[in-house]
Amino acid sequence: MATQTEVLRQLIKMAPDYCSGDDLAHEFGISRTAIWKTIQGLQSSGYTIESRHGRGYRYVANNQLSAPVIQAGLPSGVVPQLVVLPTVDSTNAYLKRLASQAPLPQPTVVVADTQTAGYGRSGRSFYSPESTGLYLSIGLPMPAKESFDPGLLTTSTAVAVAKTLTKLFEVQVELKWVNDVLVNHHKVVGILSEAVADLEAGQISTIVVGIGINLTTNDFPGAIATKAGAVTQQTTVTRNQVVSTLLAEFFKRYQTYTTGDFMADYRRLSMVINQQVELKRGSKKLTGIVKDIDSTGALVVQLPSGQIQRLSSGEITKVNLLTGAYHG
Ligand code: BTN
């Protein structure tokens, strides 16, 4: 590991306390001048390291995304490969390219400060300005015998996101089937899962779960201006903290997600159960009352005819048609 990263890790571990130059020099077997140069290198890479005469150096968290800082916030069992980029077309597209070149040896997470071509469901673009949002994708290798359930993976991801937001911010989170996360009736997070196929083996080699969070983003472009919102207006919680917490919550559920053991949490957070909704499925539109979300993540809808229909895909376009409380 390069000295810079080692020194950074030590400073993060000791924060908010100071580390003396002498102690650092001793710990890493280099001179105090070399430590001072290393600190300067970290500062010019964007880290805030305060120095104080007689006390040494200390790490102060800031808004810059950083792999070592995210890593330091992860529980010991969670060790994905982390790639942090200042800019990318799309973190999902980046991971799909990576996974189609060679199989991912381990879960791989790509986080970007901004995306130039972020996208969502149905080919819509995902607004991804720098500094105020979080755009990340989790690449999951799929060994040949492993079973994969797209419905449950998406719903368990939505629960992981909701838990992260309620843990870190004072917000009430609602889920709009299947994967929209709302705060104050506005969409603050979008989730998009995609598969990479291994054509020679004739099977899926990788799943890419993309998550876009409007953390403090406010000025949304025209088409989504009334529907999208920010998690919070301002916060002292850093984006690195959000990523670490989200990855911990995601991987905690990933081990058993195919059992649907998180569905009780999903239902509790759902804002569509017992509501009249309008749904779009391909080119078809239908309305009905949502009776439940079943253990496979499918929407159970009672149609105006009284007939019950289970939908494992589609999109809710309107909720609360009767009261008008929310129109998605
Ligand atoms: C949707 O609401 O339709 C899903 C939006 C998903 C956006 C995220 S941002 C990170 C990842 N990269 C992308 O290009 N899309 C996903």
Side-chain angles (χ1 to χ4, degrees), residues 90-92 115 117-121 124 126 128 134-137 180 187 189-192 210-212:
S90 145
T91 53
N92 266 33
Q115 299 183 119
Y119 59 90
R121 298 204 306 158
R124 286 189 288 256
F126 189 83
S128 314
L134 260 179
Y135 320 105
L136 72 141
S137 299
D180 287 348
K187 175 167 164 173
V189 179
I191 299 167
L192 177 69
I211 305 165

Side-chain angles (χ1 to χ4, degrees), residues 187-221:
K187 175 167 164 173
V188 298
V189 179
I191 299 167
L192 177 69
S193 303
E194 299 184 275
V196 179
D198 176 345
L199 293 178
E200 274 164 33
Q203 63 193 38
I204 290 172
S205 70
T206 315
I207 300 299
V208 175
V209 181
I211 305 165
I213 308 180
N214 307 323
L215 210 54
T216 55
T217 307
N218 264 314
D219 301 321
F220 295 94

Side-chain angles (χ1 to χ4, degrees), residues 55-293:
R55 296 189 71 182
Y57 307 100
R58 77 164 170 179
Y59 166 80
V60 179
N62 67 19
N63 194 38
Q64 175 170 287
L65 290 166
S66 151
V69 178
I70 293 168
Q71 223 133 31
L74 290 174
S76 52
V78 180
V79 280
Q81 164 133 16
L82 270 173
V83 181
V84 173
L85 303 167
T87 181
V88 69
D89 53 351
S90 145
T91 53
N92 266 33
Y94 179 99
L95 257 181
K96 287 199 292 179
R97 287 192 293 270
L98 198 69
S100 52
Q101 282 157 18
L104 298 181
Q106 68 190 97
T108 303
V109 176
V110 180
V111 190
D113 186 40
T114 179
Q115 299 183 119
T116 55
Y119 59 90
R121 298 204 306 158
S122 313
R124 286 189 288 256
S125 69
F126 189 83
Y127 183 54
S128 314
E130 61 184 24
S131 307
T132 59
L134 260 179
Y135 320 105
L136 72 141
S137 299
I138 306 170
L140 302 160
M142 281 295 124
K145 287 192 188 85
E146 200 158 304
S147 63
F148 158 62
D149 187 320
L152 288 179
L153 185 59
T154 307
T155 41
S156 77
T157 305
V159 172
V161 170
K163 291 273 172 187
T164 300
L165 299 185
T166 45
K167 226 180 211 182
L168 297 179
F169 305 96
E170 281 182 21
V171 289
Q172 282 208 332
V173 176
E174 292 178 309
L175 301 179
K176 180 169 147 259
W177 187 85
V178 56
N179 57 7
D180 287 348
V181 181
L182 313 184
V183 168
N184 295 327
H185 306 304
H186 286 82
K187 175 167 164 173
V188 298
V189 179
I191 299 167
L192 177 69
S193 303
E194 299 184 275
V196 179
D198 176 345
L199 293 178
E200 274 164 33
Q203 63 193 38
I204 290 172
S205 70
T206 315
I207 300 299
V208 175
V209 181
I211 305 165
I213 308 180
N214 307 323
L215 210 54
T216 55
T217 307
N218 264 314
D219 301 321
F220 295 94
I224 56 165
T226 55
K227 292 181 179 180
V231 172
T232 178
Q233 294 308 309
Q234 55 182 28
T235 181
T236 53
V237 177
T238 66
R239 291 185 299 164
N240 292 317
Q241 258 176 291
V242 179
V243 178
S244 303
T245 309
L246 177 53
L247 293 179
E249 292 291 336
F250 177 88
F251 282 105
K252 190 161 86 188
R253 283 168 188 80
Y254 184 56
Q255 318 205 325
T256 57
Y257 84 93
T258 51
T259 66
D261 52 2
F262 58 86
M263 278 310 296
D265 284 336
Y266 186 93
R267 284 189 200 98
R268 206 169 27 78
L269 292 162
S270 169
M271 48 94 74
V272 300
I273 294 177
N274 294 326
Q275 300 297 328
Q276 181 159 28
V277 297
E278 183 182 276
L279 285 145
K280 214 170 84 184
R281 220 180 162 206
S283 59
K284 269 192 169 173
K285 268 192 177 170
L286 52 107
T287 56
I289 295 174
V290 176
K291 290 297 187 187
D292 194 11
I293 294 163

